[in-house]
Amino acid sequence: MSERSQQQTGRTAAQVSVPAAVRDSAFLRACRREPVPHTPVWFMRQAGRSLPEYRKVREGVPMLESCMRPDLVTEITLQPVRRHGVDAAIFFSDIVVPLKAIGVDLDIKPGVGPVVAEPVRTRADLERLRPLDASDVPYVTEAIGMLTAELGSTPLIGFAGAPFTLASYLIEGGPSRTYENTKAMMYGDPELWADLVDRLSVITSAFLRVQIEAGASAVQLFDSWAGALAPADYRRYVMPASRKVFDSVAGYDVPRIHFGVGTGELLGLMGEAGADVVGVDWRVPLDEAARRVGPGKALQGNLDPTVLFAPREAVRAKTDEVLAAAAGLEGHVFNLGHGVMPTTDPDALTHLVEYVHERSAR
Ligand SMILES: Cc1c2[nH]c(c1CCC(=O)O)Cc1[nH]c(c(CCC(=O)O)c1C)Cc1[nH]c(c(CCC(=O)O)c1C)Cc1[nH]c(c(C)c1CCC(=O)O)C2
């Protein structure tokens, strides 16, 4: 833990404690690979456009503004917990919120995603990326305080974007399918690239620590687009920065989850970067994923989110396949292989939570 954040809170990592009832939840037990009464379930993007109550409270409020209003953050985070009975809440925010908080000119465009006004391409551009401090994101601390009071024994997952995925938005200026400018910097100016992802690791580490110190009892590092990389390039250009993030929160009693899409070839390395739980998309069955990740780590996943558009019997059959592949794992957190799609029927999600609980009850 940095001296700076110790000064801010007057606490050391060992003094930030998770309440016993939260610590004993099925979700946190599964993350620690301990026996569970049932397989815990939560969904990436469980809060959001699939829920009519979300669309209602978001009416007329831009995405980034909603992330900065503790009353809205609290309400939106709680909505899927109330409706679906999931085993964990995920803090409502976005991976670009810490960048916005340090003054990067960006917006989240509906249906598009994050768009950066002036993409980062040169050494001079790096100067815009100063470290983040708890005082830059007071609304995060406030919202998490309100949330943990409401959530009782339900754990709250904090999250951040990993350096590679954040760098891709900053360099491309928005979403990309090819990451051509990102890779051009990575291969063409490795020193500039290393400086960029190092700065991002400092920002991301601070953002996760703020959430943990405010009461988040697990953290997920989203390297959503890392699947665009070959393993050797991931190891060389990305893993050191992600490892730095995981190391910076290693002293807390809080599991660290790492997730990306299309990362079948990277699962071992993503575990090695410092995760306690490795997230798996739907392309690799969980028993095979466990072989790739190796012992000592729990897995999270991995129902294809589009399965929820099929009839109930098909959803149940595909869920049984996931549970069967996970049967020999040391720890399993049920999730989708990527986020809930906005057009998903919310009742299908509620049914899925009930079904996983029922089928996995021990
Ligand atoms: C890549 C990424 C982003 N943001 C995030 C990631 C990593 C997760 C992943 O791989 O999907 C992380 C994220 N973004 C959001 C959450 C909330 C918590 C949750 O999972 O419920 C989380 C965990 C809210 C959001 N973030 C965003 C929305 C939609 C905005 C809206 O409802 O108006 C939500 C609910 C916007 C956003 N922000 C981003 C994208 C691609 C989009 C979607 C663009 C669109 O389809 O409109 C960047």
Side-chain angles (χ1 to χ4, degrees), residues 291-328:
R291 278 189 287 278
R292 296 183 187 189
V293 168
K297 304 205 187 278
L299 295 186
Q300 176 173 281
N302 70 342
L303 187 73
D304 183 336
T306 61
V307 165
L308 289 160
F309 295 87
R312 287 275 153 91
E313 310 80 74
V315 175
R316 290 198 284 260
K318 294 301 281 180
T319 302
D320 285 341
E321 282 177 25
V322 171
L323 291 173

PDB file of all heavy atoms in Angstrom, residues 291-328:
ATOM      1  N   ARG A 291      -7.279 -26.685 -16.442  1.00  0.00           N
ATOM      2  CA  ARG A 291      -5.971 -27.251 -16.816  1.00  0.00           C
ATOM      3  C   ARG A 291      -5.027 -26.143 -17.260  1.00  0.00           C
ATOM      4  O   ARG A 291      -3.842 -26.147 -16.931  1.00  0.00           O
ATOM      5  CB  ARG A 291      -6.129 -28.283 -17.937  1.00  0.00           C
ATOM      6  CG  ARG A 291      -6.550 -29.660 -17.427  1.00  0.00           C
ATOM      7  CD  ARG A 291      -6.483 -30.720 -18.527  1.00  0.00           C
ATOM      8  NE  ARG A 291      -7.547 -30.576 -19.516  1.00  0.00           N
ATOM      9  CZ  ARG A 291      -8.792 -31.050 -19.339  1.00  0.00           C
ATOM     10  NH1 ARG A 291      -9.117 -31.708 -18.231  1.00  0.00           N
ATOM     11  NH2 ARG A 291      -9.693 -30.877 -20.276  1.00  0.00           N
ATOM     12  N   ARG A 292      -5.547 -25.177 -17.991  1.00  0.00           N
ATOM     13  CA  ARG A 292      -4.684 -24.092 -18.487  1.00  0.00           C
ATOM     14  C   ARG A 292      -4.227 -23.154 -17.360  1.00  0.00           C
ATOM     15  O   ARG A 292      -3.114 -22.635 -17.386  1.00  0.00           O
ATOM     16  CB  ARG A 292      -5.420 -23.274 -19.557  1.00  0.00           C
ATOM     17  CG  ARG A 292      -5.729 -24.110 -20.794  1.00  0.00           C
ATOM     18  CD  ARG A 292      -6.387 -23.287 -21.885  1.00  0.00           C
ATOM     19  NE  ARG A 292      -6.818 -24.169 -22.969  1.00  0.00           N
ATOM     20  CZ  ARG A 292      -7.279 -23.765 -24.138  1.00  0.00           C
ATOM     21  NH1 ARG A 292      -7.385 -22.472 -24.385  1.00  0.00           N
ATOM     22  NH2 ARG A 292      -7.646 -24.633 -25.053  1.00  0.00           N
ATOM     23  N   VAL A 293      -5.118 -22.933 -16.394  1.00  0.00           N
ATOM     24  CA  VAL A 293      -4.803 -21.997 -15.312  1.00  0.00           C
ATOM     25  C   VAL A 293      -3.913 -22.654 -14.254  1.00  0.00           C
ATOM     26  O   VAL A 293      -3.051 -22.007 -13.670  1.00  0.00           O
ATOM     27  CB  VAL A 293      -6.118 -21.464 -14.666  1.00  0.00           C
ATOM     28  CG1 VAL A 293      -5.844 -20.722 -13.370  1.00  0.00           C
ATOM     29  CG2 VAL A 293      -6.848 -20.561 -15.660  1.00  0.00           C
ATOM     30  N   GLY A 294      -4.098 -23.958 -14.044  1.00  0.00           N
ATOM     31  CA  GLY A 294      -3.306 -24.660 -13.031  1.00  0.00           C
ATOM     32  C   GLY A 294      -3.929 -24.544 -11.656  1.00  0.00           C
ATOM     33  O   GLY A 294      -4.927 -23.839 -11.470  1.00  0.00           O
ATOM     34  N   PRO A 295      -3.345 -25.259 -10.662  1.00  0.00           N
ATOM     35  CA  PRO A 295      -3.959 -25.319  -9.337  1.00  0.00           C
ATOM     36  C   PRO A 295      -3.852 -23.996  -8.568  1.00  0.00           C
ATOM     37  O   PRO A 295      -3.088 -23.118  -8.938  1.00  0.00           O
ATOM     38  CB  PRO A 295      -3.139 -26.409  -8.628  1.00  0.00           C
ATOM     39  CG  PRO A 295      -1.834 -26.453  -9.334  1.00  0.00           C
ATOM     40  CD  PRO A 295      -2.090 -26.030 -10.753  1.00  0.00           C
ATOM     41  N   GLY A 296      -4.658 -23.896  -7.519  1.00  0.00           N
ATOM     42  CA  GLY A 296      -4.526 -22.766  -6.606  1.00  0.00           C
ATOM     43  C   GLY A 296      -5.335 -21.545  -6.995  1.00  0.00           C
ATOM     44  O   GLY A 296      -5.200 -20.488  -6.378  1.00  0.00           O
ATOM     45  N   LYS A 297      -6.192 -21.662  -8.023  1.00  0.00           N
ATOM     46  CA  LYS A 297      -7.027 -20.522  -8.402  1.00  0.00           C
ATOM     47  C   LYS A 297      -8.456 -20.983  -8.654  1.00  0.00           C
ATOM     48  O   LYS A 297      -8.683 -22.085  -9.153  1.00  0.00           O
ATOM     49  CB  LYS A 297      -6.493 -19.865  -9.672  1.00  0.00           C
ATOM     50  CG  LYS A 297      -5.031 -19.455  -9.513  1.00  0.00           C
ATOM     51  CD  LYS A 297      -4.634 -18.336 -10.415  1.00  0.00           C
ATOM     52  CE  LYS A 297      -3.135 -18.089 -10.330  1.00  0.00           C
ATOM     53  NZ  LYS A 297      -2.746 -17.264  -9.170  1.00  0.00           N
ATOM     54  N   ALA A 298      -9.408 -20.143  -8.295  1.00  0.00           N
ATOM     55  CA  ALA A 298     -10.807 -20.420  -8.615  1.00  0.00           C
ATOM     56  C   ALA A 298     -11.091 -19.909 -10.029  1.00  0.00           C
ATOM     57  O   ALA A 298     -10.323 -19.131 -10.588  1.00  0.00           O
ATOM     58  CB  ALA A 298     -11.716 -19.721  -7.602  1.00  0.00           C
ATOM     59  N   LEU A 299     -12.190 -20.387 -10.606  1.00  0.00           N
ATOM     60  CA  LEU A 299     -12.591 -19.909 -11.940  1.00  0.00           C
ATOM     61  C   LEU A 299     -13.971 -19.266 -11.872  1.00  0.00           C
ATOM     62  O   LEU A 299     -14.796 -19.634 -11.029  1.00  0.00           O
ATOM     63  CB  LEU A 299     -12.626 -21.064 -12.949  1.00  0.00           C
ATOM     64  CG  LEU A 299     -11.303 -21.766 -13.283  1.00  0.00           C
ATOM     65  CD1 LEU A 299     -11.516 -22.777 -14.403  1.00  0.00           C
ATOM     66  CD2 LEU A 299     -10.203 -20.785 -13.664  1.00  0.00           C
ATOM     67  N   GLN A 300     -14.209 -18.328 -12.772  1.00  0.00           N
ATOM     68  CA  GLN A 300     -15.507 -17.655 -12.872  1.00  0.00           C
ATOM     69  C   GLN A 300     -16.025 -17.764 -14.305  1.00  0.00           C
ATOM     70  O   GLN A 300     -15.291 -17.502 -15.254  1.00  0.00           O
ATOM     71  CB  GLN A 300     -15.346 -16.194 -12.481  1.00  0.00           C
ATOM     72  CG  GLN A 300     -16.619 -15.378 -12.635  1.00  0.00           C
ATOM     73  CD  GLN A 300     -16.467 -13.978 -12.073  1.00  0.00           C
ATOM     74  OE1 GLN A 300     -16.539 -13.790 -10.869  1.00  0.00           O
ATOM     75  NE2 GLN A 300     -16.258 -12.990 -12.931  1.00  0.00           N
ATOM     76  N   GLY A 301     -17.285 -18.182 -14.444  1.00  0.00           N
ATOM     77  CA  GLY A 301     -17.857 -18.223 -15.792  1.00  0.00           C
ATOM     78  C   GLY A 301     -18.897 -19.320 -15.894  1.00  0.00           C
ATOM     79  O   GLY A 301     -19.337 -19.832 -14.876  1.00  0.00           O
ATOM     80  N   ASN A 302     -19.267 -19.692 -17.096  1.00  0.00           N
ATOM     81  CA  ASN A 302     -18.926 -19.133 -18.372  1.00  0.00           C
ATOM     82  C   ASN A 302     -20.022 -19.417 -19.392  1.00  0.00           C
ATOM     83  O   ASN A 302     -19.740 -19.804 -20.509  1.00  0.00           O
ATOM     84  CB  ASN A 302     -17.548 -19.615 -18.863  1.00  0.00           C
ATOM     85  CG  ASN A 302     -17.535 -21.085 -19.256  1.00  0.00           C
ATOM     86  OD1 ASN A 302     -18.441 -21.842 -18.857  1.00  0.00           O
ATOM     87  ND2 ASN A 302     -16.557 -21.487 -20.027  1.00  0.00           N
ATOM     88  N   LEU A 303     -21.278 -19.180 -19.009  1.00  0.00           N
ATOM     89  CA  LEU A 303     -22.400 -19.408 -19.924  1.00  0.00           C
ATOM     90  C   LEU A 303     -22.409 -18.323 -21.013  1.00  0.00           C
ATOM     91  O   LEU A 303     -22.334 -17.136 -20.706  1.00  0.00           O
ATOM     92  CB  LEU A 303     -23.720 -19.380 -19.148  1.00  0.00           C
ATOM     93  CG  LEU A 303     -24.969 -19.759 -19.957  1.00  0.00           C
ATOM     94  CD1 LEU A 303     -25.002 -21.259 -20.232  1.00  0.00           C
ATOM     95  CD2 LEU A 303     -26.244 -19.347 -19.205  1.00  0.00           C
ATOM     96  N   ASP A 304     -22.508 -18.746 -22.253  1.00  0.00           N
ATOM     97  CA  ASP A 304     -22.608 -17.811 -23.376  1.00  0.00           C
ATOM     98  C   ASP A 304     -23.830 -16.902 -23.153  1.00  0.00           C
ATOM     99  O   ASP A 304     -24.954 -17.392 -23.004  1.00  0.00           O
ATOM    100  CB  ASP A 304     -22.774 -18.641 -24.668  1.00  0.00           C
ATOM    101  CG  ASP A 304     -22.814 -17.789 -25.928  1.00  0.00           C
ATOM    102  OD1 ASP A 304     -23.162 -16.594 -25.846  1.00  0.00           O
ATOM    103  OD2 ASP A 304     -22.512 -18.352 -26.997  1.00  0.00           O
ATOM    104  N   PRO A 305     -23.644 -15.570 -23.105  1.00  0.00           N
ATOM    105  CA  PRO A 305     -24.772 -14.663 -22.816  1.00  0.00           C
ATOM    106  C   PRO A 305     -25.921 -14.786 -23.808  1.00  0.00           C
ATOM    107  O   PRO A 305     -27.066 -14.487 -23.475  1.00  0.00           O
ATOM    108  CB  PRO A 305     -24.168 -13.263 -22.868  1.00  0.00           C
ATOM    109  CG  PRO A 305     -22.733 -13.403 -23.159  1.00  0.00           C
ATOM    110  CD  PRO A 305     -22.367 -14.853 -23.250  1.00  0.00           C
ATOM    111  N   THR A 306     -25.638 -15.255 -25.022  1.00  0.00           N
ATOM    112  CA  THR A 306     -26.715 -15.370 -26.015  1.00  0.00           C
ATOM    113  C   THR A 306     -27.618 -16.580 -25.742  1.00  0.00           C
ATOM    114  O   THR A 306     -28.732 -16.639 -26.267  1.00  0.00           O
ATOM    115  CB  THR A 306     -26.163 -15.478 -27.456  1.00  0.00           C
ATOM    116  OG1 THR A 306     -25.348 -16.646 -27.543  1.00  0.00           O
ATOM    117  CG2 THR A 306     -25.353 -14.266 -27.841  1.00  0.00           C
ATOM    118  N   VAL A 307     -27.148 -17.514 -24.909  1.00  0.00           N
ATOM    119  CA  VAL A 307     -27.978 -18.669 -24.551  1.00  0.00           C
ATOM    120  C   VAL A 307     -29.287 -18.197 -23.905  1.00  0.00           C
ATOM    121  O   VAL A 307     -30.333 -18.838 -24.025  1.00  0.00           O
ATOM    122  CB  VAL A 307     -27.198 -19.619 -23.608  1.00  0.00           C
ATOM    123  CG1 VAL A 307     -28.124 -20.617 -22.932  1.00  0.00           C
ATOM    124  CG2 VAL A 307     -26.104 -20.352 -24.383  1.00  0.00           C
ATOM    125  N   LEU A 308     -29.254 -17.022 -23.248  1.00  0.00           N
ATOM    126  CA  LEU A 308     -30.437 -16.513 -22.554  1.00  0.00           C
ATOM    127  C   LEU A 308     -31.562 -16.123 -23.503  1.00  0.00           C
ATOM    128  O   LEU A 308     -32.673 -15.840 -23.064  1.00  0.00           O
ATOM    129  CB  LEU A 308     -30.052 -15.334 -21.659  1.00  0.00           C
ATOM    130  CG  LEU A 308     -29.224 -15.783 -20.444  1.00  0.00           C
ATOM    131  CD1 LEU A 308     -28.450 -14.617 -19.861  1.00  0.00           C
ATOM    132  CD2 LEU A 308     -30.124 -16.402 -19.381  1.00  0.00           C
ATOM    133  N   PHE A 309     -31.277 -16.111 -24.800  1.00  0.00           N
ATOM    134  CA  PHE A 309     -32.324 -15.825 -25.779  1.00  0.00           C
ATOM    135  C   PHE A 309     -33.035 -17.099 -26.231  1.00  0.00           C
ATOM    136  O   PHE A 309     -34.021 -17.042 -26.957  1.00  0.00           O
ATOM    137  CB  PHE A 309     -31.733 -15.079 -26.989  1.00  0.00           C
ATOM    138  CG  PHE A 309     -31.215 -13.706 -26.617  1.00  0.00           C
ATOM    139  CD1 PHE A 309     -29.912 -13.537 -26.151  1.00  0.00           C
ATOM    140  CD2 PHE A 309     -32.037 -12.590 -26.701  1.00  0.00           C
ATOM    141  CE1 PHE A 309     -29.433 -12.278 -25.789  1.00  0.00           C
ATOM    142  CE2 PHE A 309     -31.565 -11.335 -26.347  1.00  0.00           C
ATOM    143  CZ  PHE A 309     -30.270 -11.175 -25.877  1.00  0.00           C
ATOM    144  N   ALA A 310     -32.537 -18.248 -25.812  1.00  0.00           N
ATOM    145  CA  ALA A 310     -33.140 -19.538 -26.176  1.00  0.00           C
ATOM    146  C   ALA A 310     -34.224 -19.894 -25.153  1.00  0.00           C
ATOM    147  O   ALA A 310     -34.301 -19.297 -24.075  1.00  0.00           O
ATOM    148  CB  ALA A 310     -32.055 -20.613 -26.206  1.00  0.00           C
ATOM    149  N   PRO A 311     -35.084 -20.880 -25.483  1.00  0.00           N
ATOM    150  CA  PRO A 311     -36.120 -21.286 -24.522  1.00  0.00           C
ATOM    151  C   PRO A 311     -35.513 -21.817 -23.215  1.00  0.00           C
ATOM    152  O   PRO A 311     -34.367 -22.274 -23.195  1.00  0.00           O
ATOM    153  CB  PRO A 311     -36.859 -22.413 -25.249  1.00  0.00           C
ATOM    154  CG  PRO A 311     -36.510 -22.267 -26.703  1.00  0.00           C
ATOM    155  CD  PRO A 311     -35.172 -21.618 -26.754  1.00  0.00           C
ATOM    156  N   ARG A 312     -36.326 -21.759 -22.148  1.00  0.00           N
ATOM    157  CA  ARG A 312     -35.884 -22.182 -20.812  1.00  0.00           C
ATOM    158  C   ARG A 312     -35.167 -23.528 -20.771  1.00  0.00           C
ATOM    159  O   ARG A 312     -34.150 -23.687 -20.104  1.00  0.00           O
ATOM    160  CB  ARG A 312     -37.093 -22.273 -19.858  1.00  0.00           C
ATOM    161  CG  ARG A 312     -37.666 -20.947 -19.406  1.00  0.00           C
ATOM    162  CD  ARG A 312     -36.935 -20.392 -18.199  1.00  0.00           C
ATOM    163  NE  ARG A 312     -37.063 -18.936 -18.207  1.00  0.00           N
ATOM    164  CZ  ARG A 312     -38.040 -18.254 -17.611  1.00  0.00           C
ATOM    165  NH1 ARG A 312     -38.961 -18.876 -16.923  1.00  0.00           N
ATOM    166  NH2 ARG A 312     -38.086 -16.951 -17.694  1.00  0.00           N
ATOM    167  N   GLU A 313     -35.726 -24.524 -21.510  1.00  0.00           N
ATOM    168  CA  GLU A 313     -35.123 -25.871 -21.444  1.00  0.00           C
ATOM    169  C   GLU A 313     -33.691 -25.828 -21.982  1.00  0.00           C
ATOM    170  O   GLU A 313     -32.812 -26.504 -21.458  1.00  0.00           O
ATOM    171  CB  GLU A 313     -35.903 -26.908 -22.271  1.00  0.00           C
ATOM    172  CG  GLU A 313     -37.399 -26.964 -22.035  1.00  0.00           C
ATOM    173  CD  GLU A 313     -38.130 -25.853 -22.779  1.00  0.00           C
ATOM    174  OE1 GLU A 313     -38.252 -25.951 -24.014  1.00  0.00           O
ATOM    175  OE2 GLU A 313     -38.569 -24.864 -22.131  1.00  0.00           O
ATOM    176  N   ALA A 314     -33.493 -25.028 -23.018  1.00  0.00           N
ATOM    177  CA  ALA A 314     -32.148 -24.923 -23.596  1.00  0.00           C
ATOM    178  C   ALA A 314     -31.210 -24.216 -22.615  1.00  0.00           C
ATOM    179  O   ALA A 314     -30.043 -24.607 -22.456  1.00  0.00           O
ATOM    180  CB  ALA A 314     -32.200 -24.177 -24.922  1.00  0.00           C
ATOM    181  N   VAL A 315     -31.717 -23.181 -21.940  1.00  0.00           N
ATOM    182  CA  VAL A 315     -30.897 -22.473 -20.947  1.00  0.00           C
ATOM    183  C   VAL A 315     -30.487 -23.445 -19.850  1.00  0.00           C
ATOM    184  O   VAL A 315     -29.323 -23.495 -19.432  1.00  0.00           O
ATOM    185  CB  VAL A 315     -31.661 -21.274 -20.336  1.00  0.00           C
ATOM    186  CG1 VAL A 315     -30.853 -20.625 -19.214  1.00  0.00           C
ATOM    187  CG2 VAL A 315     -32.019 -20.258 -21.408  1.00  0.00           C
ATOM    188  N   ARG A 316     -31.460 -24.261 -19.420  1.00  0.00           N
ATOM    189  CA  ARG A 316     -31.154 -25.207 -18.338  1.00  0.00           C
ATOM    190  C   ARG A 316     -30.128 -26.240 -18.802  1.00  0.00           C
ATOM    191  O   ARG A 316     -29.201 -26.573 -18.058  1.00  0.00           O
ATOM    192  CB  ARG A 316     -32.438 -25.877 -17.851  1.00  0.00           C
ATOM    193  CG  ARG A 316     -33.339 -24.893 -17.093  1.00  0.00           C
ATOM    194  CD  ARG A 316     -34.381 -25.596 -16.249  1.00  0.00           C
ATOM    195  NE  ARG A 316     -35.471 -26.108 -17.058  1.00  0.00           N
ATOM    196  CZ  ARG A 316     -36.666 -25.506 -17.192  1.00  0.00           C
ATOM    197  NH1 ARG A 316     -36.919 -24.372 -16.539  1.00  0.00           N
ATOM    198  NH2 ARG A 316     -37.603 -26.031 -17.932  1.00  0.00           N
ATOM    199  N   ALA A 317     -30.274 -26.733 -20.021  1.00  0.00           N
ATOM    200  CA  ALA A 317     -29.326 -27.742 -20.527  1.00  0.00           C
ATOM    201  C   ALA A 317     -27.913 -27.161 -20.637  1.00  0.00           C
ATOM    202  O   ALA A 317     -26.930 -27.803 -20.247  1.00  0.00           O
ATOM    203  CB  ALA A 317     -29.792 -28.261 -21.887  1.00  0.00           C
ATOM    204  N   LYS A 318     -27.805 -25.925 -21.140  1.00  0.00           N
ATOM    205  CA  LYS A 318     -26.478 -25.307 -21.280  1.00  0.00           C
ATOM    206  C   LYS A 318     -25.891 -24.988 -19.906  1.00  0.00           C
ATOM    207  O   LYS A 318     -24.676 -25.054 -19.709  1.00  0.00           O
ATOM    208  CB  LYS A 318     -26.553 -24.031 -22.131  1.00  0.00           C
ATOM    209  CG  LYS A 318     -26.930 -24.241 -23.586  1.00  0.00           C
ATOM    210  CD  LYS A 318     -25.977 -25.143 -24.333  1.00  0.00           C
ATOM    211  CE  LYS A 318     -24.708 -24.447 -24.755  1.00  0.00           C
ATOM    212  NZ  LYS A 318     -23.797 -25.380 -25.488  1.00  0.00           N
ATOM    213  N   THR A 319     -26.757 -24.638 -18.948  1.00  0.00           N
ATOM    214  CA  THR A 319     -26.292 -24.368 -17.582  1.00  0.00           C
ATOM    215  C   THR A 319     -25.762 -25.657 -16.946  1.00  0.00           C
ATOM    216  O   THR A 319     -24.722 -25.651 -16.270  1.00  0.00           O
ATOM    217  CB  THR A 319     -27.448 -23.778 -16.747  1.00  0.00           C
ATOM    218  OG1 THR A 319     -27.893 -22.594 -17.388  1.00  0.00           O
ATOM    219  CG2 THR A 319     -27.005 -23.460 -15.324  1.00  0.00           C
ATOM    220  N   ASP A 320     -26.477 -26.762 -17.188  1.00  0.00           N
ATOM    221  CA  ASP A 320     -26.004 -28.051 -16.674  1.00  0.00           C
ATOM    222  C   ASP A 320     -24.619 -28.387 -17.238  1.00  0.00           C
ATOM    223  O   ASP A 320     -23.773 -28.923 -16.527  1.00  0.00           O
ATOM    224  CB  ASP A 320     -26.994 -29.170 -17.032  1.00  0.00           C
ATOM    225  CG  ASP A 320     -28.255 -29.131 -16.162  1.00  0.00           C
ATOM    226  OD1 ASP A 320     -28.213 -28.495 -15.079  1.00  0.00           O
ATOM    227  OD2 ASP A 320     -29.285 -29.725 -16.568  1.00  0.00           O
ATOM    228  N   GLU A 321     -24.390 -28.040 -18.501  1.00  0.00           N
ATOM    229  CA  GLU A 321     -23.065 -28.296 -19.101  1.00  0.00           C
ATOM    230  C   GLU A 321     -21.982 -27.507 -18.369  1.00  0.00           C
ATOM    231  O   GLU A 321     -20.903 -28.021 -18.087  1.00  0.00           O
ATOM    232  CB  GLU A 321     -23.043 -27.883 -20.581  1.00  0.00           C
ATOM    233  CG  GLU A 321     -23.699 -28.875 -21.524  1.00  0.00           C
ATOM    234  CD  GLU A 321     -23.700 -28.373 -22.976  1.00  0.00           C
ATOM    235  OE1 GLU A 321     -22.836 -27.542 -23.351  1.00  0.00           O
ATOM    236  OE2 GLU A 321     -24.591 -28.801 -23.728  1.00  0.00           O
ATOM    237  N   VAL A 322     -22.279 -26.240 -18.073  1.00  0.00           N
ATOM    238  CA  VAL A 322     -21.296 -25.413 -17.353  1.00  0.00           C
ATOM    239  C   VAL A 322     -21.035 -26.011 -15.971  1.00  0.00           C
ATOM    240  O   VAL A 322     -19.885 -26.162 -15.546  1.00  0.00           O
ATOM    241  CB  VAL A 322     -21.779 -23.947 -17.231  1.00  0.00           C
ATOM    242  CG1 VAL A 322     -20.868 -23.141 -16.301  1.00  0.00           C
ATOM    243  CG2 VAL A 322     -21.864 -23.288 -18.607  1.00  0.00           C
ATOM    244  N   LEU A 323     -22.106 -26.370 -15.271  1.00  0.00           N
ATOM    245  CA  LEU A 323     -21.944 -26.904 -13.915  1.00  0.00           C
ATOM    246  C   LEU A 323     -21.195 -28.244 -13.941  1.00  0.00           C
ATOM    247  O   LEU A 323     -20.374 -28.514 -13.059  1.00  0.00           O
ATOM    248  CB  LEU A 323     -23.305 -27.051 -13.226  1.00  0.00           C
ATOM    249  CG  LEU A 323     -24.002 -25.728 -12.882  1.00  0.00           C
ATOM    250  CD1 LEU A 323     -25.425 -25.977 -12.370  1.00  0.00           C
ATOM    251  CD2 LEU A 323     -23.194 -24.923 -11.849  1.00  0.00           C
ATOM    252  N   ALA A 324     -21.451 -29.046 -14.962  1.00  0.00           N
ATOM    253  CA  ALA A 324     -20.757 -30.342 -15.062  1.00  0.00           C
ATOM    254  C   ALA A 324     -19.259 -30.123 -15.307  1.00  0.00           C
ATOM    255  O   ALA A 324     -18.417 -30.782 -14.696  1.00  0.00           O
ATOM    256  CB  ALA A 324     -21.365 -31.191 -16.177  1.00  0.00           C
ATOM    257  N   ALA A 325     -18.933 -29.178 -16.183  1.00  0.00           N
ATOM    258  CA  ALA A 325     -17.517 -28.905 -16.469  1.00  0.00           C
ATOM    259  C   ALA A 325     -16.814 -28.337 -15.240  1.00  0.00           C
ATOM    260  O   ALA A 325     -15.600 -28.464 -15.075  1.00  0.00           O
ATOM    261  CB  ALA A 325     -17.399 -27.934 -17.643  1.00  0.00           C
ATOM    262  N   ALA A 326     -17.604 -27.694 -14.344  1.00  0.00           N
ATOM    263  CA  ALA A 326     -17.026 -27.069 -13.146  1.00  0.00           C
ATOM    264  C   ALA A 326     -16.985 -28.023 -11.955  1.00  0.00           C
ATOM    265  O   ALA A 326     -16.445 -27.673 -10.900  1.00  0.00           O
ATOM    266  CB  ALA A 326     -17.841 -25.827 -12.764  1.00  0.00           C
ATOM    267  N   ALA A 327     -17.545 -29.227 -12.129  1.00  0.00           N
ATOM    268  CA  ALA A 327     -17.725 -30.118 -10.974  1.00  0.00           C
ATOM    269  C   ALA A 327     -16.418 -30.426 -10.237  1.00  0.00           C
ATOM    270  O   ALA A 327     -16.403 -30.532  -9.020  1.00  0.00           O
ATOM    271  CB  ALA A 327     -18.398 -31.412 -11.422  1.00  0.00           C
ATOM    272  N   GLY A 328     -15.305 -30.536 -10.966  1.00  0.00           N
ATOM    273  CA  GLY A 328     -14.041 -30.901 -10.310  1.00  0.00           C
ATOM    274  C   GLY A 328     -13.207 -29.706  -9.876  1.00  0.00           C
ATOM    275  O   GLY A 328     -12.090 -29.869  -9.381  1.00  0.00           O
TER     276      GLY A 328
END
